[in-house]
Amino acid sequence: MSWTKLYLPDAYSPTMEQLTFFHDHTMSIIISITTMIVFLLNSLIYNKLIDLNINENQVIETWWTILPTIILFFVAIPSLKILYSMEELINPTISIKSMGHQWYWSYEYSDKLKKEFDSYMKYSKISDFRLIEVDNRMKAPFLTQLRMIFSSSDVLHSWTIPSLGVKMDAIPGRLNQSSMLIKKPGLFTGQCSEICGTNHSFMPIMLESVKLEKFVKWMK
């Protein structure tokens, strides 16, 4: 996603694809309603017909109560479907625990071979992504069902990668979990999305999606 784009970032997970479709669906409804209201206001302004004896119209009042209810159903049902699908775990192959700290992230892989490391923002080279690059990238295989577990050691944090449709709070003393399926290899970036102190803006997230064979080799 470049600076000039006003749309959502490209989706690299089924969850983000569904969120993008839901955004388009909702915006089409909102634009239709706005267009209808503008048309009615325009006709009302330029309409010279006046009848001061009209006090009520039961038919119109009935319809403008029923129609918004129907429109809300068209918005609410897809929204609930996405919310439930985001919470569903489908036989995860790998579990990754992410701990939020002031002000860095730590990751733990403990399925079979245990691996732990801290991930700090990196300042070293001009070629690095400014305020985004980290010294130890989180790695995960693509086309593999993942389970992400989130917690915090101090204050509230929020682990967020927009292009994957993941945003989950890291709460001290509590474990939150989310499923994730990455569709393509690449680098995916995010940042803490919960104000957690003075260096809140300096605890980025960088996920590197690789082949399963390369991931196993990295774990060893």
Side-chain angles (χ1 to χ4, degrees):
M1 184 175 184
S2 65
W3 296 107
T4 56
K5 286 189 177 179
L6 300 177
Y7 194 58
L8 299 173
D10 293 338
Y12 287 92
S13 72
T15 300
M16 190 58 192
E17 286 180 350
Q18 292 300 317
L19 289 172
T20 304
F21 293 152
F22 176 69
H23 170 269
D24 297 342
H25 168 74
T26 308
M27 287 303 298
S28 64
I29 293 175
I30 293 172
I31 291 171
S32 300
I33 294 171
T34 305
T35 304
M36 183 184 70
I37 291 174
V38 169
F39 173 77
L40 292 175
L41 286 173
N42 184 67
S43 63
L44 184 64
I45 291 171
Y46 292 101
N47 189 0
K48 297 181 180 180
L49 301 177
I50 298 174
D51 190 344
L52 299 178
N53 296 320
I54 294 179
N55 294 321
E56 63 178 19
N57 191 321
Q58 294 293 339
V59 177
I60 293 178
E61 292 182 2
T62 301
W63 276 109
W64 72 35
T65 303
I66 293 174
L67 283 177
T69 306
I70 296 172
I71 292 170
L72 285 175
F73 271 108
F74 277 103
V75 175
I77 292 174
S79 175
L80 291 173
K81 183 180 177 181
I82 294 173
L83 285 174
Y84 277 102
S85 66
M86 290 172 67
E87 297 293 328
E88 186 178 1
L89 289 176
I90 310 171
N91 297 326
T93 305
I94 299 169
S95 295
I96 305 171
K97 183 179 179 182
S98 175
M99 288 286 293
H101 306 268
Q102 288 181 311
W103 287 271
Y104 65 96
W105 295 96
S106 63
Y107 299 98
E108 178 182 336
Y109 299 74
S110 56
D111 287 321
K112 293 182 181 179
L113 299 174
K114 190 169 183 179
K115 191 179 185 73
E116 297 182 50
F117 57 89
D118 297 331
S119 181
Y120 289 87
M121 189 174 70
K122 192 176 178 182
Y123 294 94
S124 58
K125 299 178 181 178
I126 298 177
S127 59
D128 291 339
F129 297 104
R130 184 174 180 272
L131 303 181
I132 292 294
E133 186 64 75
V134 295
D135 54 356
N136 291 313
R137 295 173 178 173
M138 171 190 163
K139 292 191 179 183
F142 63 93
L143 297 179
T144 303
Q145 196 69 43
L146 307 173
R147 174 173 59 183
M148 292 294 302
I149 302 172
F150 307 97
S151 188
S152 172
S153 64
D154 35 52
V155 298
L156 289 176
H157 300 279
S158 185
W159 199 88
T160 307
I161 297 184
S163 58
L164 298 179
V166 179
K167 184 180 186 295
M168 185 62 68
D169 288 341
I171 304 172
R174 177 176 174 177
L175 292 177
N176 286 338
Q177 68 178 5
S178 177
S179 62
M180 187 166 63
L181 177 67
I182 308 170
K183 299 184 70 175
K184 296 179 181 180
L187 292 177
F188 306 99
T189 61
Q191 289 178 305
C192 177
S193 299
E194 187 74 38
I195 297 177
C196 55
T198 55
N199 288 336
H200 158 69
S201 302
F202 305 109
M203 49 182 303
I205 302 160
M206 181 164 280
L207 189 156
E208 184 176 354
S209 176
V210 297
K211 290 184 179 180
L212 183 59
E213 297 82 4
K214 189 175 180 180
F215 173 78
V216 174
K217 186 177 179 180
W218 174 77
M219 285 290 294
K220 293 179 180 180

